[in-house]
Amino acid sequence: MNLKSSLPVGILFPMEFEAKPIWKKLPGTSAPHAGLETKRGFWKGTAVITARIGMGRPGLDKQVGSWLSKNPVRALILAGLGGALDSAWEEGDMTVHHPEAWPDFLQYVKSRPSLRTAKWHTAKEIIATGPAKLDLGRKTGCGIVEMEWDYVAEACREHNIPLVGIRAVSDNSDRPLPAADLLLLGCDRETGKTTPGKMAAHLVFRPWRLKDLIPTALTCAHARNEMARELMGFLDQLS
């Protein structure tokens, strides 16, 4: 075994909600490390180190780079949810990005027809309406929109670390994301930490908003679980 292959597998999640299924199965507790909430352990026989990075924002590349300098990894996976920019993608579909950067990951992707490669666009803000998503898809030629890839990719280039992506589609291209503001209340954009108290306080005085939140939350939970299932399958294969 060479030095590179003996290093841990790195996994980054933007939000606590997205990390939860994997973190639940890793023993121990998370703790702040090198500026990011971090949890490490073994997935069967494979060393894994994971972190929560928050939503895309200026400076995230430097923050991830600093974390990587203190946590060498053999390769890095960026995992989470994404929005569809064209009608080829439905809620719950699985998309991967640059799987060829890591041969082990590419081998797994080739064995899973449900994992489809797409071009991802890193947006600077949430794209919440159907027309805006379709227009962005036409302008960029991308099928998926997310908010972190470009920042993480820059950090990985600086450290010469292979980066691959896996996301589940949380919203169709022609449908609005009606509870986008509520979802932002439910998490801290900078850290990705879940903040249910803020959402609860908002809903106490606006209970009618639940009709928007519940279906959106159910769709996101389904997509998150699909993403986690595929990620677990890959980790099982590595082990």
Side-chain angles (χ1 to χ4, degrees), residues 10-239:
I11 309 174
L12 298 183
F13 300 96
M15 297 294 149
E16 182 178 359
F17 170 79
E18 294 160 316
K20 187 174 181 179
I22 298 295
W23 281 22
K24 188 174 181 180
K25 285 185 174 291
L26 285 175
T29 58
S30 67
H33 179 68
L36 297 175
E37 190 70 17
T38 300
K39 189 171 187 181
R40 68 181 73 220
F42 283 87
W43 190 276
K44 298 183 179 178
T46 300
V48 175
I49 182 165
T50 71
R52 193 180 69 222
I53 62 175
M55 287 188 179
R57 61 195 181 280
L60 181 59
D61 53 338
K62 302 299 183 186
Q63 190 175 26
V64 171
S66 177
W67 184 85
L68 287 172
S69 69
K70 295 176 175 59
N71 297 285
V73 296
R74 69 175 89 167
L76 193 64
I77 305 169
L78 177 60
L81 303 181
L85 294 180
D86 65 50
S87 59
W89 298 91
E90 298 288 339
E91 292 167 354
D93 283 352
M94 292 299 309
T95 171
V96 294
H97 196 43
H98 287 293
E100 69 282 357
W102 186 11
D104 289 336
F105 187 72
L106 180 61
Q107 180 182 358
Y108 180 75
V109 169
K110 287 181 175 179
S111 73
R112 301 289 298 172
S114 60
L115 296 178
R116 297 156 54 199
T117 302
K119 291 178 65 178
W120 293 5
H121 173 75
T122 301
K124 307 306 180 187
E125 59 186 16
I126 291 179
I127 312 299
T129 70
K133 286 185 282 185
L134 290 169
D135 185 55
L136 184 60
R138 286 190 293 266
K139 288 179 177 177
T140 63
C142 295
I144 300 296
V145 62
E146 48 79 55
M147 298 182 69
E148 293 80 32
W149 177 270
D150 285 357
Y151 301 103
V152 176
E154 179 61 28
C156 286
R157 280 192 292 270
E158 290 289 325
H159 289 79
N160 195 30
I161 293 172
L163 173 65
V164 298
I166 182 168
R167 291 186 183 261
V169 174
S170 58
D171 51 289
N172 291 359
S173 60
D174 59 347
R175 297 179 189 173
L177 193 59
D181 61 325
L182 291 179
L183 294 176
L184 285 175
L185 281 173
C187 64
D188 185 291
R189 179 167 181 168
E190 294 291 316
T191 67
K193 183 175 176 56
T194 300
T195 54
K198 290 183 180 180
M199 184 184 294
H202 181 85
L203 291 173
V204 163
F205 299 102
R206 303 165 185 85
W208 60 88
R209 297 297 312 281
L210 281 170
K211 68 180 178 62
D212 292 333
L213 177 63
I214 291 174
T216 301
L218 290 174
T219 298
C220 287
H222 169 69
R224 185 274 313 270
N225 292 341
E226 289 297 303
M227 178 273 295
R229 182 172 63 85
E230 291 292 355
L231 188 52
M232 290 176 190
F234 172 62
L235 293 175
D236 285 343
Q237 179 175 287
L238 279 180
S239 299

